[in-house]
């Protein structure tokens, strides 16, 4: 029930916040605790070692950015917002909107998977063409770097 706080203060009453939240489960309380020093050291060492091992086997940082761009970008920009909307607002929304969001979820999930697979398949490709060497344009003849004239691109 709502009460007018201004009316209560005029009569000499005070407004107090009431905290009625009580965790229902012991597991929730344990998971909310701070990690111990040993856990922090193990996690930090694990993250640093995996980063070091990954950097030893990667050709370039562009490879890492490509993989992240093909997966995480889709997740952050399209998949997660649509999934959150579908879960939170969807039950109260019209069926047409729910179907549209579900279709977008499916489409962008498939697109993220396709982009990730394409990125993984092309991991062995050089990250950038070497300066002064010809490079191939998809479906066209090789064009030397620096000669981007209309005659060269029409070949």
């Amino acid at each position: 029930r709502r009460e007018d706080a201004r009316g209560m203060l005029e009569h000499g009453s005070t407004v107090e916040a009431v905290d009625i939240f009580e965790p229902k489960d012991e597991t929730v309380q344990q998971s909310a605790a701070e990690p111990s020093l040993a856990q922090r050291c193990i996690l930090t060492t694990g993250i640093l070692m995996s980063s070091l091992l990954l950097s030893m086997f990667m050709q370039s940082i562009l490879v890492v950015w490509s993989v992240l761009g093909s997966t995480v970008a889709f997740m952050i920009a399209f998949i997660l917002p649509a999934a959150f909307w579908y879960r939170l607002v969807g039950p109260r929304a019209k069926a047409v909107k729910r179907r549209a969001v579900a279709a977008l979820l499916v489409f962008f999930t498939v697109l993220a998977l396709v982009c990730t697979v394409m990125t993984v398949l092309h991991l062995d490709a050089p990250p950038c063409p070497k300066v002064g060497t010809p490079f191939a344009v998809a479906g066209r003849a090789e064009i030397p770097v620096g000669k981007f004239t209309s005659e060269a691109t029409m070949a």
Side-chain angles (χ1 to χ4, degrees):
R1 133 188 125 146
R2 292 187 144 189
E3 297 177 5
D4 185 11
R6 287 175 280 172
M8 291 176 60
L9 290 175
E10 290 173 0
H11 299 309
S13 301
T14 59
V15 177
E16 295 179 24
V18 179
D19 186 11
I20 58 171
F21 174 75
E22 294 179 30
K24 305 289 191 268
D25 191 25
E26 183 73 22
T27 308
V28 173
Q29 290 178 343
Q30 290 175 352
S31 67
E34 285 285 321
S36 68
L37 180 61
Q39 287 174 330
R40 286 184 184 185
C41 289
I42 290 170
L43 286 172
T44 303
T45 303
I47 290 170
L48 290 175
M49 291 304 291
S50 64
S51 298
L52 177 65
L53 289 173
L54 185 66
S55 68
M56 288 171 52
F57 295 109
M58 286 296 137
Q59 186 177 14
S60 167
I61 190 66
L62 294 177
V63 173
V64 177
W65 290 340
S66 298
V67 173
L68 287 176
S70 64
T71 55
V72 176
F74 278 105
M75 292 286 291
I76 291 173
F78 302 109
I79 297 171
L80 289 177
F84 293 152
W85 183 93
Y86 193 82
R87 178 74 181 209
L88 298 173
V89 181
R92 295 184 305 267
K94 293 180 181 180
V96 173
K97 287 185 179 182
R98 282 195 311 269
R99 283 192 294 263
V101 170
L104 284 174
L105 271 171
V106 169
F107 175 73
F108 283 114
T109 302
V110 168
L111 196 58
L113 289 172
V114 167
C115 288
T116 303
V117 168
M118 293 300 294
T119 301
V120 169
L121 291 176
H122 292 98
L123 283 179
D124 60 344
C128 296
K130 294 183 180 178
V131 177
T133 59
F135 63 96
V137 177
R140 298 184 183 175
E142 291 185 0
I143 304 168
V145 174
K147 295 185 180 180
F148 291 102
T149 61
S150 59
E151 296 89 76
T153 57
M154 293 300 197

